[in-house]
Amino acid sequence: FQTFPDAYSVKPNTDTFNAIIKSFAESGTTRSFYSVLDEMCQKGVKPNATTFTTAIAGFYKEERFDDVGKVIELMKKHGCGESLPVFNVRVQGLCKLGRSGDAKALLNEMVKKGTKPSWLTYNHLIHGFCKEGDLEEAKRLYKEMAKKGLVGDSSFYYMLIYYLCKGGDFDTAVGVYNEIAARNWVPCFSTMKMLVNGLAGSSRVDEAKGIIEKMKEKFPDKAEGWKEVEDALPQ
């Protein structure tokens, strides 16, 4: 990289340097970020939010929490405030490390600072608490998210159904399914099969069959697969 710009008369820009930082972060050598940032400054290339969030994500992955703090200070120094994308990266990083409680504290901090969380913020938190086995906190956050009028994508809801079924909370899982059905989203077959089998195993066979009928009606191309699931249910 050092000789490429001169050899080909190419002037690196912010995106170029961000790509380099990303490669270091992905290879577990995020500390090289500091030298890249120095070079950006020397060449008069202004870093942006992505420059810093990429480094933050890398340092979280490597569990270098002191470096996370240093990057946040550098970010402020370069005029990039702690925006929503920055908070989301920090929340995600903590949740991936099994520190969802700390991530929730960060959520409270961002709200106090006047930054409104997005559905993605809640997605990271809910997924984190689900993985840690704290379904009650995950459900509380889900209700809070809904109260704020935030709507996730389909993968978020199927993730939640999966963990609810895994934890045996089929009532809440059915409620989440009803939200998805109302939006006519294409279902994740394996997750819905898990819900149907879970209901059947909880002596709620009629309810399970009702969901299957809706699936067959809305998605006729999957009807054969659902018939196999239905045939395997207790009569």
Side-chain angles (χ1 to χ4, degrees):
F1 172 76
Q2 297 289 344
T3 59
F4 184 87
D6 293 332
Y8 294 93
S9 300
V10 175
K11 185 178 180 181
N13 58 20
T14 305
D15 290 338
T16 310
F17 283 107
N18 285 350
I20 295 168
I21 293 169
K22 183 180 179 182
S23 69
F24 283 130
E26 289 177 346
S27 64
T29 56
T30 311
R31 283 190 65 82
S32 297
F33 157 78
Y34 297 114
S35 60
V36 175
L37 182 63
D38 286 342
E39 187 169 348
M40 291 178 76
C41 294
Q42 289 169 14
K43 293 183 180 296
V45 179
K46 186 176 176 61
N48 59 18
T50 302
T51 310
F52 297 104
T53 55
T54 303
I56 289 171
F59 282 130
Y60 268 124
K61 185 179 177 182
E62 296 168 31
E63 300 188 38
R64 291 181 174 274
F65 305 115
D66 287 344
D67 284 301
V68 170
K70 289 177 184 177
V71 175
I72 291 170
E73 290 306 311
L74 283 169
M75 183 174 61
K76 293 175 183 176
K77 181 181 175 182
H78 285 273
C80 296
E82 286 193 88
S83 60
L84 177 59
V86 176
F87 275 113
N88 281 346
V89 167
R90 294 178 65 191
V91 167
Q92 182 183 36
L94 288 167
C95 289
K96 282 185 174 181
L97 291 172
R99 295 175 55 182
S100 298
D102 291 334
K104 183 186 171 187
L106 186 57
L107 169 66
N108 295 333
E109 179 187 327
M110 67 184 282
V111 171
K112 284 181 182 178
K113 289 183 177 180
T115 302
K116 292 182 179 180
S118 65
W119 77 265
L120 197 56
T121 316
Y122 282 98
N123 173 67
H124 296 321
L125 283 164
I126 291 168
H127 194 187
F129 279 112
C130 282
K131 286 198 299 181
E132 292 172 36
D134 192 346
L135 279 182
E136 290 307 310
E137 184 58 29
K139 288 190 290 183
R140 193 196 68 76
L141 286 165
Y142 175 62
K143 288 178 182 177
E144 184 178 299
M145 172 183 165
K147 191 175 180 180
K148 291 178 184 290
L150 298 172
V151 178
D153 63 6
S154 59
S155 63
F156 163 75
Y157 291 96
Y158 288 118
M159 173 274 294
L160 185 54
I161 289 175
Y162 169 81
Y163 281 106
L164 288 167
C165 290
K166 192 176 179 182
D169 187 349
F170 298 107
D171 286 333
T172 306
V174 169
V176 177
Y177 154 73
N178 287 332
E179 285 195 45
I180 293 172
R183 294 189 175 94
N184 290 317
W185 281 340
V186 177
C188 171
F189 183 80
S190 60
T191 302
M192 292 307 301
K193 182 180 177 181
M194 189 178 183
L195 173 59
V196 166
N197 287 336
L199 287 170
S202 302
S203 302
R204 297 165 68 172
V205 178
D206 289 342
E207 201 170 350
K209 288 182 177 180
I211 290 176
I212 289 175
E213 286 306 312
K214 286 181 181 178
M215 291 294 102
K216 286 162 64 177
E217 183 181 330
K218 284 193 172 186
F219 307 100
D221 57 318
K222 301 286 185 181
E224 189 173 330
W226 280 114
K227 186 177 184 305
E228 290 180 14
V229 175
E230 186 175 25
D231 290 344
L233 295 178
Q235 300 302 315

